[in-house]
Amino acid sequence: MRPLKTIILGVATSFLVVMGSTGMARECAENYNRIPMYAYQNFPVNWDEQAEPRFYALIRTPQEYDQVFHPAPIAGDPRPFHPEASLYEKSQILMVAHVFAASPDPSKADRIFEVERVTTKAGELTLRYRLKRPKSDVDAAQFKFFLAIQVPRANYQKVTIFEDGKLVGQLKPSEGLWTVPKPAPE
């Protein structure tokens, strides 16, 4: 009877080890939808790009969206100013913006940010992208280019952003840090 107990104990231990290791957090690819830069008639709010070269935010509500983006009406343009409020029932928007001296060519704007991957692991959302800087035009005005992606709604503890393989920012939405820098009060 002793050998049978040893076998059962061994099998049970192996089972627990296997089950325990599968319960460990693994990095998983996250579904996302890219929102084209010119989908809405708006632009990111101003920020001090000398102090903060990037502006980034995890937008969870229509009110947060309105703090990060301002309307830019164009006569006769049928595009809306912001997403439908229903988007936030199942999704959030992760946005990263840069300022460049370049012409805002709508046909090339969405090529500046190339998403490599979006992943989740143990309550952390990670965005990795490549930045393809637009050709600098000394005669061009400073213009805000941005990447906006729609990700599943979740209570992310941390959002980590990598640009060209380098860590460039972190948000901690559960602690109230949902945007860097903080938008100026209206």
Side-chain angles (χ1 to χ4, degrees):
M1 191 77 159
R2 186 143 178 92
L4 183 58
K5 278 186 176 179
T6 304
I7 291 171
I8 292 172
L9 184 60
V11 169
T13 302
S14 297
F15 179 76
L16 289 173
V17 168
V18 168
M19 291 305 292
S21 66
T22 59
M24 295 176 67
R26 293 183 306 157
E27 186 175 77
C28 298
E30 188 59 75
N31 292 325
Y32 69 92
N33 292 317
R34 185 160 184 165
I35 301 170
M37 194 168 119
Y38 289 105
Y40 304 105
Q41 291 187 73
N42 62 28
F43 62 94
V45 297
N46 292 326
W47 76 95
D48 180 358
E49 67 269 6
Q50 299 303 317
E52 290 285 345
R54 287 158 212 85
F55 179 48
Y56 49 96
L58 180 66
I59 304 165
R60 301 163 292 180
T61 66
Q63 294 77 21
E64 289 178 353
Y65 191 92
D66 290 343
Q67 290 179 53
V68 173
F69 288 95
H70 285 205
I74 300 170
D77 191 335
R79 292 177 299 150
F81 294 112
H82 48 75
E84 292 290 326
S86 61
L87 174 135
Y88 302 99
E89 293 170 7
K90 295 183 179 179
S91 300
Q92 300 170 103
I93 298 171
L94 179 57
M95 185 275 298
V96 180
H98 274 270
V99 175
F100 298 107
S103 299
D105 182 346
S107 68
K108 296 179 182 173
D110 287 322
R111 295 185 209 155
I112 292 171
F113 294 89
E114 180 185 308
V115 177
E116 291 183 315
R117 67 181 183 252
V118 179
T119 58
T120 55
K121 179 180 178 182
E124 180 176 349
L125 176 68
T126 301
L127 166 64
R128 295 177 184 276
Y129 68 88
R130 293 267 171 222
L131 184 65
K132 296 179 176 183
R133 296 180 184 278
K135 185 181 277 188
S136 183
D137 183 348
V138 293
D139 294 331
Q142 296 286 318
F143 190 78
K144 300 171 192 165
F145 292 89
F146 63 90
L147 166 68
I149 60 171
Q150 185 179 335
V151 295
R153 184 162 191 81
N155 186 23
Y156 300 112
Q157 302 301 306
K158 191 184 328 179
V159 177
T160 306
I161 301 167
F162 288 88
E163 178 181 283
D164 298 329
K166 178 183 169 196
L167 175 65
V168 294
Q170 276 194 333
L171 299 167
K172 295 183 179 178
S174 62
E175 296 174 19
L177 181 62
W178 64 276
T179 179
V180 172
K182 289 185 178 184
E186 294 296 308

